[in-house]
Amino acid sequence: MITPEQFTDFHKDVLKEIGNIGAGNAATALSKLVHKSVDMSVPSVELVPFNEVTELIGGAEMVVAATFLRVSGDAPGNMFFILSITEAVHLTQQLTGDQSITEETILDLEISRSALQETGNILAGSYLSSFSDFTGLKLAPSVPFLTVDMVAAVLSHGLIEMSQVSDFAIIIDTQLIDSQRNKTGVEGHFLLLPDPESFQTIFQALGVPIK
Amino acid sequence: MNKTIEVVQVGIADYQIAKEHQHLRTVGLGSCVGVVLYDLHSHVAGLAHIMLPSSNISKGSSFNLAKYADTAIPAMVSELNHTFNTTRNRLHAKIAGGAQMFQFSNQSDTMRVGPRNVEAVKETLQSLNIPILVEEIGGTNGRTIEFDPVTSKLTVRTIYKGTTTI
């Protein structure tokens, strides 16, 4: 099994391309949903110690709305769509037309809950289907799970598989950005965390030599 | 009297030891469990941020003692004993964390890691005869905790639900 510590720059570039294609499609889906143009950052693929994972998103205690999906199939893994709480409130207000949604009520109200969950579902779904098309691997997302909490508490859940083999996580991170740089509920992070065994499958599917 | 308090940060899969004028802090415990071991008389304490229940499931080449309940707690006990001459029978424990961050209908083992961590922590403490004085465990919220070895108070903060001291 290839462990993240053994990755070459070429391996990381291949993973970046997955982030690029996946988030590109997801950005298009989000843009259609909110009728705004959505830009995307260049994906980053980082090998980070667990302690620093939360720094990617803005600090361990930052409050975020996170949709989590467990990916099963040929290359199992974990996927997160993460919005800062302010962005999540904007997004749900926009999608539902209900301006009374606040940081405190976003998880309690059925309508904002399902708006967020469904957004995560659509975006992660389009990310994964392009990942699947690109690699020819069969991937099936679970139903989306939603929570609002501190980044560290949320992300540590996605590190469990990797933590059994390593103290490092390999995270494919792509950020979505509103074209006008306004806070309009579209600035989010896609994080893909393949299980340790999945990297070999992904590289093999793309004909990338392991060593 | 007015000595500044230094806050010792404990990372994920890590443990640290502190004495008077120091606080132990760990941020964002989700399914992880924070285990505080302290000695009332000598005002020293250790805090571990435990990620997984058992070192048996380790498949890696490198091995981090502080990651697993069954290895982190004994390691912390022996460090406390060696550095500060505490004895095991004077140690007490306070634990927090072990939440289930996402509600799954499909209760696979990985998804239940919070409750499994708590069970493993309790078993390990019991086998070492260290009593748990208080616990703040389970639920669906992340927690940030801070411990003062002098007062042996543990402060637990959750978002939107405020701060409690146990």
Side-chain angles (χ1 to χ4, degrees):
Chain A
M1 187 175 79
I2 182 168
T3 57
E5 289 89 338
Q6 300 165 328
F7 287 179
T8 61
D9 284 345
F10 182 47
H11 288 129
K12 290 186 186 171
D13 283 342
V14 169
L15 297 175
K16 269 183 205 165
E17 196 47 30
I18 291 172
N20 203 13
I21 296 175
N25 275 296
T28 313
L30 180 59
S31 169
K32 282 184 190 149
L33 202 63
V34 295
H35 308 292
K36 285 210 170 74
S37 75
V38 177
D39 286 343
M40 196 180 92
S41 69
V42 177
S44 72
V45 170
E46 309 221 31
L47 175 65
V48 274
F50 290 157
N51 274 330
E52 290 165 28
V53 166
T54 53
E55 301 308 316
L56 295 176
I57 310 292
E61 281 195 288
M62 194 179 110
V63 177
V64 293
T67 310
F68 168 82
L69 295 100
R70 175 74 193 152
V71 182
S72 50
D74 294 338
N78 295 322
M79 164 128 221
F80 290 97
F81 177 60
I82 292 183
L83 290 167
S84 77
I85 187 68
T86 352
E87 293 283 337
V89 169
H90 279 291
L91 178 73
T92 45
Q93 286 180 346
Q94 210 172 324
L95 289 174
T96 61
D98 180 351
Q99 300 300 313
S100 67
I101 296 167
T102 65
E103 294 182 15
E104 284 78 11
T105 59
I106 193 163
L107 267 195
D108 300 330
L109 298 171
E110 184 61 37
I111 183 142
S112 51
R113 236 193 119 83
S114 56
L116 261 187
Q117 212 154 354
E118 195 44 34
T119 308
N121 198 22
I122 292 169
L123 299 189
S126 49
Y127 187 116
L128 289 172
S129 66
S130 51
F131 175 18
S132 177
D133 289 346
F134 177 52
T135 54
L137 296 169
K138 281 198 195 70
L139 301 166
S142 68
V143 291
F145 300 98
L146 182 69
T147 194
V148 172
D149 215 306
M150 302 178 232
V151 170
V154 170
L155 284 187
S156 62
H157 184 87
L159 299 176
I160 292 163
E161 281 81 10
M162 193 47 104
S163 69
Q164 295 168 22
V165 295
S166 171
D167 286 315
F168 291 86
I170 186 103
I171 296 190
I172 307 167
D173 178 13
T174 322
Q175 208 178 341
L176 299 182
I177 307 154
D178 177 85
S179 300
Q180 274 85 50
R181 310 263 151 187
N182 297 324
K183 288 252 176 241
T184 47
V186 298
E187 294 204 16
H189 285 265
F190 279 104
L191 303 181
L192 180 65
L193 295 95
D195 286 359
E197 298 81 11
S198 296
F199 289 105
Q200 190 152 345
T201 317
I202 294 169
F203 293 139
Q204 272 165 356
L206 294 168
V208 178
I210 302 291
K211 293 271 168 203
Chain B
M1 267 310 272
N2 292 322
K3 270 210 164 171
T4 11
I5 299 287
E6 180 203 350
V7 177
V8 180
Q9 297 286 347
V10 180
I12 186 166
D14 178 25
Y15 75 80
Q16 297 290 334
I17 306 288
K19 46 189 193 301
E20 282 170 290
H21 312 303
Q22 288 182 318
H23 283 185
L24 287 159
R25 187 167 194 268
T26 198
V27 170
L29 288 164
S31 56
C32 300
V33 179
V35 180
V36 178
L37 296 182
Y38 63 100
D39 181 338
L40 264 183
H41 304 283
S42 50
H43 293 171
V44 295
L47 169 60
H49 185 135
I50 288 164
M51 209 176 171
L52 292 169
S54 161
S55 55
N56 289 335
I57 59 177
S58 168
K59 303 173 204 155
S61 43
S62 63
F63 184 75
N64 173 6
L65 282 176
K67 202 189 303 184
Y68 309 95
D70 66 334
T71 50
I73 296 171
M76 199 157 63
V77 169
S78 79
E79 192 168 329
L80 282 167
N81 290 350
H82 283 118
T83 321
F84 299 103
N85 292 318
T86 62
T87 48
R88 203 167 71 192
N89 53 23
R90 284 217 314 237
L91 289 177
H92 291 108
K94 292 192 175 188
I95 65 174
Q100 208 171 339
M101 298 306 297
F102 298 94
Q103 297 306 299
F104 296 91
S105 45
N106 152 18
Q107 298 280 322
S108 76
D109 269 5
T110 316
M111 300 313 177
R112 283 191 64 252
V113 72
R116 283 170 61 221
N117 279 337
V118 172
E119 276 165 41
V121 162
K122 288 185 171 174
E123 273 167 29
T124 310
L125 288 171
Q126 197 178 14
S127 71
L128 296 166
N129 286 319
I130 299 173
I132 300 174
L133 289 200
V134 280
E135 55 180 47
E136 162 86 25
I137 51 170
T140 57
N141 290 103
R143 297 171 172 96
T144 287
I145 61 171
E146 191 166 321
F147 186 77
D148 178 350
V150 175
T151 62
S152 61
K153 291 265 188 277
L154 182 68
T155 311
V156 182
R157 192 179 82 83
T158 47
I159 61 156
Y160 307 135
K161 290 190 180 156
T163 304
T164 51
T165 303
I166 57 173

